Amino acid sequence: MDTHQRLISAFHQHFGTDPDFVARAPGRVNLLGEHVDYNDGFVLPAAIDRVTLVAFRDSGLSRSALLALDLGEETGFDHQSILKKQDSNGVPLSAWARYPAGMLWSLNAEGLETPGMQAVFASDVPRGAGLSSSASVEMAFGAAWEKLGGWSIPPIRLAKLGQKAEIQYVGVNCGIMDQFASACGVKDRLLYLDCRSLDWQPVRLPEKTVIVIADTSIRRSLTNSAYNERRASCEEAVRILQGFLPGVRALRDVSLEQFHHFAACLPEITARRAQHIVEEIARTRQAVDLLENNDISRFGQLMNACHASLRDLYQVSCPELDVLAKLAQSMPGCYGARLTGAGFGGCTVNLVAVEAADTFAHDLAAGYTKITSLKPDIYICRATDGASVETV
Ligand code: GLA
């Protein structure tokens, strides 16, 4: 039984009736522009064919009842209880329930109508793997409430509301990239987003290449303070650099030349973090020109340089990610390989020649297992459309 059918039958069993709709929202993989979204930089993600599905209907009450099929857990909350991060019985919401509850909170704060729903949801976006499982849950529930509430907002606005939920409700000081990709994804395209203006455009994938995702099987927790600490370092760099360059609002406003001129004025660790950001923003801008000219080799080199920078300057890699990236970079048909997402575990993204992809996936898995004794999950992924709702 596929996930869609499993959801429908679980819904029937749980609520004794059929759902009216199924919302779908993808995870994402990022090709270039890592940790730059919260520095007003440029990113190049794609929505992927791993999704969160929510089967739902109007509950006719203000209370929502949710079953998380993958976890076998349920919760129920309403507009009042979520203000205290509690379910309707006054029990603190568990970690997974904070994503849909946070989305509800964020929509309510905008004055958008959010009828109570009965919902069963499941996801094949691996959790904590750097593929934005949380954003896909937020966007799927956002799309579900949009349907039930009878309103319609641009996907990018839904993404902003998801980001607000994640920052202010869940407590991760994230950027806009994940929710954006999940909401605005375009089939067979990368998405080039200016994280300051939120202008974006779909970009063709390089010809005759595929995106291969390789999962270290090492899990991280995003709420882990390391992410927020990185962001704080960037903000510190901006504060100091503003003393010399008053026009700077974010590291995006600092050129490579300016950075090197003033780097010595920053504390050492802060300087390293800022160097990654300034160089990574330059890499991403260059990458889009390379894609236009179908210069895949140089594009791949930028991916490799990004990994080295995340490992050495931004320090968000881990030994398993380094093994996977290094192995991949040495394999025939692989243009570029690097960690994707926040880091500290999770997945690498690899740009691979179509005809080499199967052998690449097989050999990469074997090589990784030989070195680490871990079994990686490796799959060729397709870029997909963003969040949507269909009638059952
Ligand atoms: C997480 C965050 C994003 C982004 C990436 C790193 O996925 O949610 O906003 O900062 O890390 O690029």
Side-chain angles (χ1 to χ4, degrees):
M1 223 196 296
D2 70 10
T3 310
H4 194 274
Q5 286 168 326
R6 265 197 320 126
L7 274 188
I8 307 278
S9 93
F11 192 102
H12 196 92
Q13 232 181 352
H14 197 72
F15 294 112
T17 178
D18 286 329
D20 290 334
F21 309 100
V22 174
R24 162 200 160 280
R28 66 97 191 92
V29 66
N30 188 24
L31 274 278
L32 229 89
E34 212 64 270
H35 284 278
V36 301
D37 58 350
Y38 51 86
N39 289 288
D40 281 0
F42 298 82
V43 293
L44 198 56
I48 59 173
D49 50 357
R50 294 281 177 121
V51 296
T52 295
L53 295 177
V54 184
F56 65 100
R57 70 191 284 271
D58 196 326
S59 69
L61 307 164
S62 64
R63 180 177 183 273
S64 287
L66 269 52
L67 171 67
L69 198 56
D70 300 327
L71 305 171
E73 287 180 25
E74 52 187 308
T75 190
F77 49 68
D78 55 63
H79 300 172
Q80 284 305 316
S81 75
I82 60 165
L83 297 175
K84 295 188 192 151
K85 298 189 185 165
Q86 291 175 347
D87 70 13
S88 310
N89 299 321
V91 177
L93 291 171
S94 50
W96 66 265
R98 292 185 181 211
Y99 296 96
M103 201 60 217
L104 178 61
W105 168 85
S106 186
L107 298 172
N108 288 345
E110 287 290 293
L112 294 164
E113 202 173 321
T114 51
M117 68 165 78
Q118 293 174 323
V120 178
F121 78 103
S123 184
D124 63 0
V125 187
R127 277 192 298 276
L131 300 177
S132 300
S133 56
S134 53
S136 75
V137 171
E138 289 153 6
M139 292 302 96
F141 275 96
W145 268 304
E146 182 172 27
K147 187 75 187 177
L148 290 186
W151 39 268
S152 171
I153 60 175
I156 189 83
R157 193 165 153 224
L158 197 64
K160 288 285 288 175
L161 294 174
Q163 182 198 16
K164 182 176 171 188
E166 185 117 3
I167 295 177
Q168 295 186 28
Y169 200 85
V170 179
V172 181
N173 209 2
C174 68
I176 186 66
M177 173 170 70
D178 304 349
Q179 292 80 6
F180 156 74
S182 183
C184 300
V186 179
K187 187 166 183 280
D188 295 331
R189 295 286 184 275
L190 300 173
L191 313 164
Y192 181 50
L193 171 72
D194 177 338
C195 298
R196 172 170 282 169
S197 67
L198 300 185
D199 287 341
W200 66 276
Q201 65 194 70
V203 177
R204 253 173 220 289
L205 274 162
E207 277 167 27
K208 299 191 185 122
T209 61
V210 285
I211 299 171
V212 179
I213 294 178
D215 190 340
T216 57
S217 79
I218 301 292
R219 290 293 173 258
R220 63 175 171 82
S221 149
L222 229 197
T223 21
N224 188 320
S225 58
Y227 182 90
N228 290 345
E229 267 170 29
R230 295 300 181 287
R231 186 164 180 159
S233 287
C234 295
E235 283 160 8
E236 186 196 14
V238 169
R239 270 196 308 278
I240 297 173
L241 290 171
Q242 278 170 339
F244 310 100
L245 303 162
V248 166
R249 282 161 52 202
L251 285 175
R252 180 241 184 85
D253 302 313
V254 180
S255 69
L256 288 167
E257 295 71 29
Q258 286 171 329
F259 175 76
H260 289 297
H261 192 77
F262 294 110
C265 307
L266 300 173
E268 197 201 323
I269 296 280
T270 309
R272 280 204 227 167
R273 308 279 193 255
Q275 184 181 341
H276 165 76
I277 301 299
V278 173
E279 291 179 349
E280 179 74 352
I281 291 174
R283 272 192 288 272
T284 312
R285 300 182 94 157
Q286 192 193 348
V288 172
D289 294 336
L290 293 175
L291 285 183
E292 265 168 27
N293 299 317
N294 210 40
D295 190 342
I296 317 173
S297 302
R298 284 178 66 204
F299 181 89
Q301 285 162 15
L302 294 180
M303 290 176 70
N304 295 345
C306 169
H307 184 82
S309 178
L310 289 167
R311 181 190 62 212
D312 302 334
L313 296 175
Y314 216 59
Q315 296 179 303
V316 292
S317 191
C318 67
E320 294 82 0
L321 282 167
D322 294 341
V323 167
L324 259 187
K326 192 171 169 201
L327 272 175
Q329 287 168 10
S330 71
M331 286 185 174
C334 178
Y335 292 104
R338 65 174 202 81
L339 77 84
T340 190
F344 306 107
C347 295
T348 59
V349 57
N350 307 267
L351 191 64
V352 181
V354 176
E355 70 278 4
D358 289 336
T359 312
F360 171 83
H362 174 270
D363 293 354
L364 183 60
Y368 181 69
T369 302
K370 200 166 162 203
I371 298 173
T372 61
S373 303
L374 294 166
K375 282 218 176 334
D377 185 17
I378 300 187
Y379 50 97
I380 297 170
C381 93
R382 302 195 69 88
T384 64
D385 286 327
S388 60
V389 175
E390 64 177 57
T391 305
V392 173

